[in-house]
Short mmCIF file of all heavy atoms in Angstrom, two decimals:
data_model
loop_
_atom_site.label_atom_id
_atom_site.label_comp_id
_atom_site.label_asym_id
_atom_site.label_seq_id
_atom_site.Cartn_x
_atom_site.Cartn_y
_atom_site.Cartn_z
N VAL A 28 -2.35 22.68 46.87
CA VAL A 28 -2.49 21.43 46.03
C VAL A 28 -3.05 21.74 44.66
O VAL A 28 -3.91 22.59 44.48
CB VAL A 28 -3.48 20.46 46.80
CG1 VAL A 28 -3.90 19.29 45.89
CG2 VAL A 28 -2.88 19.97 48.07
N ASN A 29 -2.46 21.05 43.65
CA ASN A 29 -2.94 21.28 42.31
C ASN A 29 -2.84 19.99 41.50
O ASN A 29 -2.09 19.08 41.78
CB ASN A 29 -2.03 22.39 41.63
CG ASN A 29 -2.58 22.80 40.25
OD1 ASN A 29 -3.77 22.92 40.09
ND2 ASN A 29 -1.71 22.89 39.28
N PHE A 30 -3.67 19.97 40.46
CA PHE A 30 -3.72 18.76 39.55
C PHE A 30 -3.83 19.15 38.10
O PHE A 30 -4.42 20.19 37.82
CB PHE A 30 -4.95 17.93 39.95
CG PHE A 30 -4.97 17.44 41.28
CD1 PHE A 30 -5.68 18.09 42.29
CD2 PHE A 30 -4.15 16.40 41.69
CE1 PHE A 30 -5.69 17.68 43.59
CE2 PHE A 30 -4.10 15.99 43.05
CZ PHE A 30 -4.88 16.61 44.00
N MET A 31 -3.09 18.47 37.28
CA MET A 31 -3.28 18.64 35.83
C MET A 31 -3.36 17.31 35.12
O MET A 31 -2.85 16.29 35.65
CB MET A 31 -2.17 19.54 35.22
CG MET A 31 -0.82 18.91 35.04
SD MET A 31 0.35 19.95 34.10
CE MET A 31 -0.03 19.49 32.37
N ALA A 32 -4.04 17.30 33.95
CA ALA A 32 -4.04 16.07 33.16
C ALA A 32 -2.71 15.83 32.56
O ALA A 32 -2.06 16.70 32.04
CB ALA A 32 -5.13 16.21 32.10
N LEU A 33 -2.26 14.55 32.63
CA LEU A 33 -0.87 14.22 32.20
C LEU A 33 -0.98 12.97 31.30
O LEU A 33 -1.48 11.93 31.75
CB LEU A 33 0.03 13.91 33.37
CG LEU A 33 1.45 13.46 33.11
CD1 LEU A 33 2.31 14.59 32.58
CD2 LEU A 33 2.08 12.88 34.34
N ASP A 34 -0.45 13.11 30.12
CA ASP A 34 -0.45 11.96 29.13
C ASP A 34 0.96 11.52 28.76
O ASP A 34 1.16 10.38 28.37
CB ASP A 34 -1.19 12.26 27.90
CG ASP A 34 -2.65 12.48 28.22
OD1 ASP A 34 -3.37 11.50 28.37
OD2 ASP A 34 -3.08 13.65 28.28
N TRP A 35 1.89 12.48 28.81
CA TRP A 35 3.25 12.14 28.36
C TRP A 35 4.10 11.68 29.51
O TRP A 35 4.70 12.49 30.18
CB TRP A 35 3.81 13.42 27.74
CG TRP A 35 3.15 13.74 26.38
CD1 TRP A 35 2.08 13.17 25.82
CD2 TRP A 35 3.56 14.83 25.50
NE1 TRP A 35 1.79 13.77 24.65
CE2 TRP A 35 2.71 14.82 24.37
CE3 TRP A 35 4.57 15.79 25.55
CZ2 TRP A 35 2.77 15.72 23.34
CZ3 TRP A 35 4.70 16.68 24.46
CH2 TRP A 35 3.79 16.65 23.39
N LEU A 36 4.06 10.38 29.69
CA LEU A 36 4.91 9.79 30.77
C LEU A 36 5.32 8.38 30.38
O LEU A 36 4.64 7.77 29.54
CB LEU A 36 4.18 9.80 32.09
CG LEU A 36 3.06 8.78 32.39
CD1 LEU A 36 2.79 8.66 33.80
CD2 LEU A 36 1.76 9.16 31.63
N THR A 37 6.29 7.89 30.92
CA THR A 37 6.77 6.52 30.77
C THR A 37 7.63 6.07 31.90
O THR A 37 8.29 6.84 32.56
CB THR A 37 7.49 6.36 29.35
OG1 THR A 37 7.96 5.01 29.23
CG2 THR A 37 8.83 7.24 29.32
N ARG A 38 7.72 4.71 32.08
CA ARG A 38 8.78 4.18 32.92
C ARG A 38 10.16 4.49 32.23
O ARG A 38 10.19 4.37 31.00
CB ARG A 38 8.58 2.68 33.08
CG ARG A 38 7.58 2.32 34.16
CD ARG A 38 7.96 2.56 35.58
NE ARG A 38 9.25 1.96 35.96
CZ ARG A 38 9.35 0.69 36.33
NH1 ARG A 38 8.33 -0.10 36.45
NH2 ARG A 38 10.58 0.23 36.68
N VAL A 39 11.15 4.72 32.94
CA VAL A 39 12.47 4.99 32.30
C VAL A 39 13.60 4.17 32.92
O VAL A 39 14.68 4.12 32.30
CB VAL A 39 12.87 6.47 32.34
CG1 VAL A 39 11.96 7.33 31.50
CG2 VAL A 39 12.96 7.00 33.81
N ASN A 40 13.39 3.52 34.05
CA ASN A 40 14.46 2.71 34.61
C ASN A 40 13.83 1.61 35.38
O ASN A 40 12.80 1.77 36.02
CB ASN A 40 15.36 3.48 35.52
CG ASN A 40 16.69 2.78 35.81
OD1 ASN A 40 17.50 2.66 34.91
ND2 ASN A 40 16.86 2.25 36.97
N PHE A 41 14.40 0.38 35.24
CA PHE A 41 13.77 -0.77 35.94
C PHE A 41 14.14 -0.74 37.41
O PHE A 41 13.23 -0.90 38.17
CB PHE A 41 14.31 -2.03 35.20
CG PHE A 41 13.60 -3.27 35.68
CD1 PHE A 41 12.28 -3.48 35.35
CD2 PHE A 41 14.26 -4.11 36.55
CE1 PHE A 41 11.60 -4.61 35.85
CE2 PHE A 41 13.57 -5.27 37.06
CZ PHE A 41 12.21 -5.46 36.75
N ASP A 42 15.37 -0.65 37.78
CA ASP A 42 15.75 -0.76 39.16
C ASP A 42 16.90 0.20 39.45
O ASP A 42 18.01 0.04 38.94
CB ASP A 42 16.22 -2.21 39.43
CG ASP A 42 16.52 -2.41 40.89
OD1 ASP A 42 16.10 -1.64 41.76
OD2 ASP A 42 17.36 -3.29 41.23
N PRO A 43 16.67 1.26 40.34
CA PRO A 43 15.41 1.56 40.97
C PRO A 43 14.32 1.95 40.00
O PRO A 43 14.59 2.38 38.88
CB PRO A 43 15.79 2.72 41.86
CG PRO A 43 16.96 3.38 41.28
CD PRO A 43 17.70 2.25 40.62
N ALA A 44 13.04 1.71 40.47
CA ALA A 44 11.87 2.01 39.53
C ALA A 44 11.82 3.54 39.40
O ALA A 44 11.65 4.30 40.33
CB ALA A 44 10.61 1.48 40.26
N MET A 45 11.89 3.97 38.09
CA MET A 45 11.84 5.32 37.77
C MET A 45 10.79 5.63 36.69
O MET A 45 10.64 4.72 35.85
CB MET A 45 13.22 5.86 37.32
CG MET A 45 14.29 5.96 38.33
SD MET A 45 15.79 6.56 37.67
CE MET A 45 16.86 6.59 39.10
N LEU A 46 10.27 6.81 36.78
CA LEU A 46 9.25 7.28 35.82
C LEU A 46 9.71 8.64 35.30
O LEU A 46 10.37 9.41 35.95
CB LEU A 46 7.99 7.51 36.66
CG LEU A 46 6.64 7.57 36.02
CD1 LEU A 46 6.22 6.19 35.51
CD2 LEU A 46 5.62 8.04 37.06
N GLY A 47 9.40 8.89 33.98
CA GLY A 47 9.67 10.21 33.45
C GLY A 47 8.43 10.83 33.04
O GLY A 47 7.53 10.24 32.44
N ILE A 48 8.23 12.15 33.38
CA ILE A 48 7.07 12.84 32.97
C ILE A 48 7.39 14.12 32.21
O ILE A 48 8.47 14.76 32.52
CB ILE A 48 6.09 13.17 34.10
CG1 ILE A 48 6.75 14.22 35.03
CG2 ILE A 48 5.73 11.95 34.90
CD1 ILE A 48 5.77 14.84 36.02
#
Side-chain angles (χ1 to χ4, degrees):
Chain A
V28 169
N29 187 42
F30 301 100
M31 74 171 273
L33 174 75
D34 294 282
W35 290 4
L36 78 160
T37 180
R38 280 291 303 278
V39 293
N40 196 71
F41 187 72
D42 183 23
M45 291 180 179
L46 200 69
I48 68 165

